[in-house]
């Protein structure tokens, strides 16, 4: 379900100096958990880091201090933080409810994707109002909110599909953004 793929270069902590790709996803198996894998080269294979709690439609986000956060669920998005070694939910950090639902268009929200740019935390997802799916984006100056700004960023038929799907943006080595 909605795999989140991230690349991060660690400057501190137990992974200092590592340059790694991560993939986080939830499989519909029993017990319903999320899987976190890592690699330094996606073409050479992946290593299981941890089986984590069920984070539905999750997005990994590494902050400037190398801490790893997981945005997940639809409607009111939840925010969890992983331990420094990424093997479990951080027991010293309480899960936050980001209360995004009060700003949403009517309908279901899902497919959370998070990133940080120029001091803002962005949370993008699809909404399912009656008029068709649309990509919406929230932003905040703080990782745990409030996410009190929201815009519809894409609302159209897309590549022959009935409106937009789940996705994210990434910044490339050339300084351009891709989605």
């Amino acid at each position: 379900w909605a795999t989140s793929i991230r690349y991060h270069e660690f400057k501190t902590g137990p992974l200092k100096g590592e340059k790694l790709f991560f993939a986080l996803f939830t499989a519909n198996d029993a017990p319903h958990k999320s899987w976190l894998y890592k690699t330094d080269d996606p073409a050479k294979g992946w290593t299981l880091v941890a089986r984590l709690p069920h984070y539905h439609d999750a997005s990994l986000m590494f902050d400037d201090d190398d801490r790893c956060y997981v945005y997940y669920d639809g409607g009111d998005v939840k925010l969890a933080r992983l331990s420094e070694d990424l093997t479990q939910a951080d027991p010293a950090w309480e899960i936050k409810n980001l209360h995004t639902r009060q700003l949403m268009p009517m309908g279901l929200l899902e497919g959370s994707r998070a990133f940080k740019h120029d001091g803002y935390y962005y949370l993008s997802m699809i909404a399912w109002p009656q008029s068709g799916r649309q990509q919406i984006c929230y932003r905040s100056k703080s990782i745990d909110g409030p996410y009190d700004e929201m815009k519809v960023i894409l609302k159209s038929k897309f590549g022959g599909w009935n409106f937009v799907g789940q996705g994210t943006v990434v910044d490339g080595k050339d300084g351009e953004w891709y989605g």
Side-chain angles (χ1 to χ4, degrees):
W1 287 78
T3 303
S4 176
I5 299 174
R6 291 284 181 233
Y7 174 78
H8 188 71
E9 297 181 12
F10 290 88
K11 298 168 210 66
T12 62
L15 298 172
K16 184 178 181 178
E18 297 281 341
K19 298 175 181 181
L20 299 169
F21 292 89
F22 293 90
L24 175 69
F25 62 91
T26 298
N28 277 337
D29 65 348
H32 211 59
K33 295 216 177 225
S34 296
W35 300 69
L36 179 64
Y37 283 86
K38 70 177 181 179
T39 184
D40 61 355
D41 182 351
K44 292 183 179 176
W46 296 78
T47 302
L48 179 65
V49 175
R51 283 198 74 173
L52 299 166
H54 177 215
Y55 296 128
H56 179 76
D57 277 0
S59 179
L60 288 173
M61 203 280 307
F62 289 91
D63 210 345
D64 299 334
D65 62 359
D66 290 335
R67 295 308 303 240
C68 184
Y69 294 86
V70 180
Y71 292 77
Y72 66 101
D73 273 354
D76 282 334
V77 175
K78 294 177 180 63
L79 178 65
R81 185 171 80 183
L82 298 183
S83 60
E84 281 190 278
D85 65 1
L86 309 177
T87 61
Q88 63 181 344
D90 187 339
W93 204 78
E94 186 175 325
I95 291 172
K96 314 284 190 223
N97 188 328
L98 300 182
H99 301 292
T100 51
R101 187 174 291 281
Q102 75 273 8
L103 296 176
M104 72 176 245
M106 294 305 293
L108 175 70
L109 285 175
E110 67 177 7
S112 302
R113 293 291 171 249
F115 56 96
K116 187 175 182 182
H117 181 69
D118 287 343
Y120 279 95
Y121 295 89
Y122 290 87
L123 177 58
S124 178
M125 63 190 71
I126 60 168
W128 292 70
Q130 290 185 352
S131 61
R133 295 193 301 189
Q134 54 192 0
Q135 192 76 21
I136 60 173
C137 190
Y138 297 92
R139 79 175 187 170
S140 176
K141 286 296 253 179
S142 173
I143 193 163
D144 56 358
Y147 285 80
D148 53 4
E149 294 180 57
M150 188 274 293
K151 287 186 178 185
V152 174
I153 58 173
L154 184 58
K155 182 180 179 181
S156 66
K157 292 199 180 275
F158 190 72
W161 294 92
N162 185 17
F163 299 100
V164 298
Q166 298 172 7
T168 192
V169 294
V170 294
D171 51 339
K173 288 183 179 182
D174 58 3
E176 294 294 323
W177 287 77
Y178 299 89

